[in-house]
């Protein structure tokens, strides 16, 4: 199976359909839309992810 990058809400809906787990699908459709939190590519984003895992960003 190829790796798919989620770029839009439609990509999420397609992935839910492909997953084909009825319980997950029901939860997905009963909830609010999943927000996409995209960050730019590059070292800064990688560095922030590593620091966020090591030190709480909350």
């Amino acid at each position: 199976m190829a790796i798919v990058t989620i770029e839009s809400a439609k990509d999420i809906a397609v992935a839910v359909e492909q997953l084909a787990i009825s319980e997950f699908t029901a939860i997905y459709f009963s909830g609010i839309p999943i927000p996409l939190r995209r960050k730019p590519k590059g070292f800064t984003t990688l560095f922030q992810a590593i620091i966020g895992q090591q030190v709480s960003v909350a």
Side-chain angles (χ1 to χ4, degrees), residues 21-39:
I21 298 174
S22 60
E23 296 86 0
F24 185 81
T25 303
I27 292 168
Y28 171 75
F29 284 113
S30 69
I32 59 173
I34 299 171
L36 294 176
R37 292 176 252 175
R38 303 289 308 216
K39 295 190 177 192

Side-chain angles (χ1 to χ4, degrees), residues 3-58:
I3 295 174
V4 176
T5 301
I6 295 174
E7 298 287 346
S8 67
K10 183 179 178 184
D11 293 336
I12 295 173
V14 169
V16 168
E17 185 178 322
Q18 290 176 343
L19 191 57
I21 298 174
S22 60
E23 296 86 0
F24 185 81
T25 303
I27 292 168
Y28 171 75
F29 284 113
S30 69
I32 59 173
I34 299 171
L36 294 176
R37 292 176 252 175
R38 303 289 308 216
K39 295 190 177 192
K41 296 178 182 179
F43 179 77
T44 302
T45 300
L46 174 62
F47 183 73
Q48 289 173 342
I50 292 169
I51 296 301
Q53 291 173 8
Q54 300 299 317
V55 180
S56 174
V57 293

